[in-house]
Amino acid sequence: DAGITQSPRHKVTETGTPVTLRCHQTENHRYMYWYRQDPGHGLRLIHYSYGVKDTDKGEVSDGYSVSRSKTEDFLLTLESATSSQTSVYFCAISDGTSVTYEQYFGPGTRLTVT
Amino acid sequence: AQKITQTQPGMFVQEKEAVTLDCTYDTSDQSYGLFWYKQPSSGEMIFLIYQGSYDEQNATEGRYSLNFQKARKSANLVISASQLGDSAMYFCAMRATNTGNQFYFGTGTSLTVIP
């Protein structure tokens, strides 16, 4: 199994508070991704990173920011959490630029915003 | 625009029977990869099988095979000899050259295997 961990695994927070989710990998893969999973929508890309300090927006990036200061860590921040950001968040990693490279996923973080 | 469509929200199959989960995709790229993932009720995402756009043969991995019809832009997953442990959500995904490093996912199909 790919070495990907996410912390915390579960979090309940109040509307308006900042939240940071952490993804940590031990595979030295170049690419890291943050997705959210909601019923009826599958997985939607929030942000991704293609190297240290190199990030780009995905389909649903509004309200989220990311940072990657080290190869192994990719942080997702909700600056001011809203109830619409209640979701399951997955981190994924991938190596290489070829379309042949699959993604490996972390275990997920269940976030509830009350 | 890149898009993945899974039109079967839920499927049922008898244990030991084969089942096909549909996936169609839309891309203007010539080079792309198609992937299937399984998500059991425990929540983790498990990579199952990959098919490249230039691969002439359909991919197979154990009981999983991918029925790739390039002209129809379809990449259906076939599970043979279904087992109770196959009950899960199944997601089709695509990665294309011109989308940079992004993956696009379908909305998933929930498969239930009936004893």
Side-chain angles (χ1 to χ4, degrees), chain A residues 30-112:
Chain A
R30 179 179 174 186
Y31 300 98
M32 299 185 75
Y33 306 78
W34 276 108
Y35 292 92
R36 59 178 291 173
Q37 183 179 23
D38 305 288
H41 291 278
L43 280 86
R44 293 181 291 175
L45 182 65
I46 304 171
H47 283 279
Y48 68 99
S49 169
Y50 46 96
V52 174
K53 298 192 188 306
D54 293 323
T55 64
D56 206 348
K57 295 179 180 180
E59 178 188 2
V60 291
S61 59
D62 287 349
Y64 302 95
S65 63
V66 290
S67 66
R68 191 170 179 198
S69 58
K70 297 185 290 184
T71 298
E72 57 266 34
D73 289 326
F74 193 32
L75 304 180
L76 176 71
T77 297
L78 291 65
E79 301 291 347
S80 177
T82 67
S83 59
S84 65
Q85 294 176 312
T86 292
S87 187
V88 178
Y89 291 85
F90 284 98
C91 174
I93 64 174
S94 182
D95 198 15
T97 57
S98 168
V99 297
T100 63
Y101 286 95
E102 69 268 32
Q103 288 184 317
Y104 295 97
F105 284 83
T109 293
R110 184 172 296 275
L111 176 68
T112 303

Side-chain angles (χ1 to χ4, degrees), chain B residues 2-107:
Chain B
Q2 323 294 329
K3 187 176 180 181
I4 295 285
T5 303
Q6 294 179 255
T7 58
Q8 307 155 313
M11 291 279 287
F12 292 87
V13 64
Q14 206 75 36
E15 192 177 8
K16 300 181 184 177
E17 297 292 313
V19 63
T20 298
L21 306 184
D22 294 341
C23 173
T24 59
Y25 59 92
D26 188 17
T27 181
S28 58
D29 292 345
Q30 297 301 308
S31 177
Y32 51 89
L34 297 156
F35 306 83
W36 278 92
Y37 288 85
K38 173 184 178 181
Q39 186 179 42
S41 58
S42 52
E44 71 268 33
M45 294 286 289
I46 303 167
F47 166 69
L48 294 178
I49 195 168
Y50 160 82
Q51 177 83 42
S53 59
Y54 293 117
D55 295 341
E56 295 187 352
Q57 291 195 330
N58 288 340
T60 60
E61 288 286 348
R63 294 185 299 108
Y64 303 108
S65 61
L66 202 153
N67 184 0
F68 181 47
Q69 299 188 45
K70 194 170 183 177
R72 295 186 177 185
K73 294 189 174 180
S74 72
N76 299 337
L77 178 70
V78 180
I79 306 174
S80 62
S82 296
Q83 302 172 357
L84 296 179
D86 293 334
S87 294
M89 282 289 291
Y90 289 82
F91 292 96
C92 180
M94 177 178 68
R95 183 180 191 182
T97 304
N98 286 352
T99 62
N101 309 300
Q102 296 192 42
F103 289 73
Y104 292 85
F105 283 81
T107 53

